[in-house]
Amino acid sequence: MDLKENLVSRHLVFNEKNPKNKWIDDLRHEAIEIFGKNGFPTKKEEEWKYTNLAPLLKADYKLFPESEEISIGYQDVKKYFIHDMDTYNIVFVNGIYSSYLSSTTHEEADICVLSSAMNKMMHQSVIENFYSKIAPKDDSLVSLNTAFFKDGAYIYVPDKVILSKPIQIIFFSTAQESEVLYHPRNLIVLGNNSQAQIIERHQTLNEKANLTNSVTEVHVGRNSELDYYKIQNDAVEASLIDNTYIEQERDSVASFQTFSFGGKLTRNNLNFVQKGENSNSILNGVTIISGKQHVDHHTKVDHKFPHCESHELYKGIFDEQSHGVFNGKVYVYPEAQKLNAFQQNNNVLLTDKASIDTKPQLEIFADDVKCSHGCTVGQLDETALFYMQQRGIPKQQAKALLLYAFAAEVLEHVQLPQIKKRITNLIAMKLDVNMDFDL
């Protein structure tokens, strides 16, 4: 029995073990039927042409580890938090909410656990209006997540609320089984005239070959601002498929910064839909990988209204036999006049065996717009490297400085100094040098 058939056959038992909610049950049954029909995406599909999931699907995954209740201490995981600033924390260990590691609230906003919020009347209207309404039901990986979702973060920021501190959402895995398949689900809703900053991380605490299929639905209300950071630096054998869907109302700003530094296979599906005038979507990313690691960024921005903007800049550094993919699509509807859309992907290959498949796309059906896109693939500037060595800078340090300068344009968009410091340290670690920059 292959993994698809195995999951379909196990769904009934899984659903029986979880709390009863007719509306959620109906969504789960619909979702497993869609997944049973569509199955996992394959390389025959254009959107998955350069990312092959087949090797990952040979494993006999457990849906949840037998060791769900294992607790971990803060000192064991402190390094994975941005701990030099005050934050709300929503933490999950092996798919289960950890109250010990978390710091949640219902005062200035609802920052808590999705499974719990689903069973409380006070959250019902928000959940019914947005849960499984932003992410497309017919996507096979979204439907798989909907069918097996167990827990995740629920964030609701009311109108006219500017959160006093950022939120960290962290998923830890300590499972001792060889392979576990996780399906975390996050729902984030910002009302009108509100602001929030969020950091998300998935972290395996051992070298097990886990696969995470995550879905996050985001609604940004009128004249609201969301600043979101994804830090991806997982264990060598861990893989992540991250599906994030954002809808924006008029006059809103949604900024998503993705930093991909580790893991066996990482696929980021990042999709924006602008639902009102003067919306601004910002998509930035830095990828630095080595070995046989694989990172695939698939982005899409749907411009449906006039006087909107999107700004997209992704940079990649690929060493050894690593492989990168960038596929960014900007779709401009006929009504989306007076539009400004920018898209750029730049890459550096440090060896002859490293590779990148890049495909920035513009589909424009409006005539009064400013749109541009482009990509570059090259090697490190040997002339600049030689110039720096002539001035007494060791080769490895000079190489690191050049590569940091290459990535620094993306870091300029990071609003939180603590995040910028953490990313700089991760870049230093990946480049195996000691860098001391004035941030």
Side-chain angles (χ1 to χ4, degrees):
M1 184 182 297
D2 67 13
L3 182 59
K4 185 194 83 170
E5 294 176 351
N6 193 2
L7 289 169
V8 171
S9 67
R10 291 156 68 186
H11 180 259
L12 183 60
V13 175
F14 167 81
N15 208 37
E16 287 295 325
K17 289 183 177 181
N18 284 277
K20 297 291 103 181
N21 180 314
K22 186 179 185 307
W23 180 64
I24 298 299
D25 284 352
D26 290 343
L27 286 176
R28 289 190 191 279
H29 288 306
E30 179 187 14
I32 200 63
E33 289 179 5
I34 293 171
F35 175 73
K37 179 182 177 181
N38 296 338
F40 287 98
T42 70
K43 292 187 70 175
K44 294 180 180 179
E45 301 173 36
E46 182 64 27
E47 296 299 310
W48 290 84
K49 183 177 180 180
Y50 300 110
T51 296
N52 185 13
L53 293 181
L56 298 182
L57 306 182
K58 296 177 181 179
D60 182 21
Y61 291 102
K62 292 184 179 295
L63 283 175
F64 290 94
E66 296 174 359
S67 52
E68 284 182 356
E69 300 301 325
I70 288 181
S71 62
I72 53 177
Y74 178 69
Q75 291 301 321
D76 299 325
V77 295
K78 179 180 178 181
K79 64 181 180 180
Y80 301 113
F81 288 81
I82 309 297
H83 53 77
D84 50 355
M85 65 179 179
D86 189 20
T87 62
Y88 294 114
N89 299 320
I90 312 175
V91 182
F92 302 85
V93 179
N94 297 332
I96 302 298
Y97 172 66
S98 171
S99 59
Y100 173 72
L101 294 173
S102 298
S103 172
T104 59
T105 186
H106 290 287
E107 294 181 0
E108 59 175 338
D110 291 314
I111 302 171
C112 57
V113 183
L114 183 54
S115 62
S116 176
M118 283 179 165
N119 295 313
K120 294 182 180 179
M121 289 296 295
M122 61 184 293
H123 306 302
Q124 186 173 355
S125 62
V126 173
I127 290 173
E128 291 186 356
N129 284 332
F130 298 107
Y131 178 79
S132 200
K133 300 291 177 61
I134 302 172
K137 292 183 179 180
D138 58 351
D139 182 281
S140 62
L141 293 173
V142 171
S143 64
L144 179 62
N145 178 283
T146 302
F148 288 105
F149 144 75
K150 192 168 185 179
D151 228 335
Y154 173 73
I155 299 169
Y156 172 64
V157 183
D159 295 350
K160 300 180 181 179
V161 171
I162 299 175
L163 285 185
S164 60
K165 52 188 178 182
I167 305 166
Q168 296 192 78
I169 306 171
I170 307 182
F171 298 89
F172 291 114
S173 172
T174 65
Q176 298 304 308
E177 293 83 0
S178 56
E179 295 105 0
V180 178
L181 179 55
Y182 293 101
H183 298 284
R185 182 73 168 244
N186 304 313
L187 178 61
I188 299 164
V189 178
L190 271 65
N192 302 325
N193 304 292
S194 60
Q195 293 182 19
Q197 294 176 306
I198 299 175
I199 305 110
E200 179 186 348
R201 182 162 190 159
H202 299 261
Q203 190 66 49
T204 302
L205 301 180
N206 49 39
E207 294 300 324
K208 302 300 182 181
N210 298 324
L211 173 59
T212 298
N213 176 40
S214 176
V215 173
T216 300
E217 294 180 291
V218 180
H219 174 86
V220 184
R222 295 189 305 274
N223 197 39
S224 291
E225 183 174 345
L226 176 62
D227 189 28
Y228 206 110
Y229 302 92
K230 293 176 179 285
I231 300 177
Q232 300 169 343
N233 187 34
D234 209 349
V236 174
E237 291 300 319
S239 296
L240 169 67
I241 302 171
D242 187 276
N243 307 281
T244 301
Y245 295 88
I246 306 100
E247 62 176 22
Q248 294 179 247
E249 301 293 345
R250 65 172 302 152
D251 303 307
S252 64
V253 178
S255 174
F256 276 70
Q257 323 257 359
T258 305
F259 301 98
S260 302
F261 298 134
K264 184 176 183 179
L265 181 149
T266 303
R267 165 79 175 218
N268 289 301
N269 297 316
L270 184 59
N271 300 270
F272 285 74
V273 177
Q274 296 181 337
K275 300 180 67 178
E277 294 186 23
N278 299 309
S279 297
N280 186 5
S281 305
I282 301 168
L283 304 76
N284 293 320
V286 175
T287 299
I288 305 178
I289 54 174
S290 59
K292 295 184 178 181
Q293 293 175 318
H294 177 100
V295 172
D296 181 348
H297 295 288
H298 258 67
T299 68
K300 185 180 181 184
V301 181
D302 281 339
H303 288 284
K304 295 186 175 183
F305 287 82
H307 305 288
C308 293
E309 294 187 15
S310 64
H311 184 283
E312 184 169 2
L313 177 61
Y314 278 75
K315 296 205 171 189
I317 299 171
F318 303 93
D319 201 359
E320 299 174 336
Q321 302 177 56
S322 60
H323 180 215
V325 181
F326 175 82
N327 189 313
K329 181 181 291 186
V330 174
Y331 194 98
V332 182
Y333 286 73
E335 300 82 5
Q337 304 291 345
K338 305 294 184 181
L339 179 80
N340 188 355
F342 167 81
Q343 184 186 75
Q344 185 70 31
N345 175 231
N346 301 120
N347 304 281
V348 173
L349 305 180
L350 298 180
T351 69
D352 293 336
K353 293 184 178 181
S355 60
I356 173 75
D357 292 291
T358 178
K359 186 182 179 183
Q361 297 174 266
L362 293 175
E363 295 189 28
I364 304 172
F365 299 95
D367 52 16
D368 188 7
V369 298
K370 294 181 180 179
C371 295
S372 63
H373 73 294
C375 66
T376 61
V377 179
Q379 297 178 327
L380 201 61
D381 188 338
E382 292 295 334
T383 301
L385 190 61
F386 177 77
Y387 178 87
M388 295 174 72
Q389 288 180 266
Q390 290 299 302
R391 277 145 185 82
I393 301 175
K395 184 176 181 179
Q396 187 69 5
Q397 191 77 5
K399 178 181 175 182
L401 287 168
L402 288 174
L403 292 174
Y404 179 81
F406 172 77
E409 187 178 357
V410 174
L411 296 184
E412 291 175 2
H413 298 276
V414 176
Q415 297 183 24
L416 291 169
Q418 296 89 345
I419 295 288
K420 185 178 288 189
K421 181 179 179 180
R422 173 61 63 91
I423 299 304
T424 299
N425 289 338
L426 286 173
I427 291 174
M429 181 181 70
K430 293 295 292 186
L431 300 177
D432 194 25
V433 294
N434 180 26
M435 291 191 291
D436 184 16
F437 297 109
D438 183 8
L439 298 178

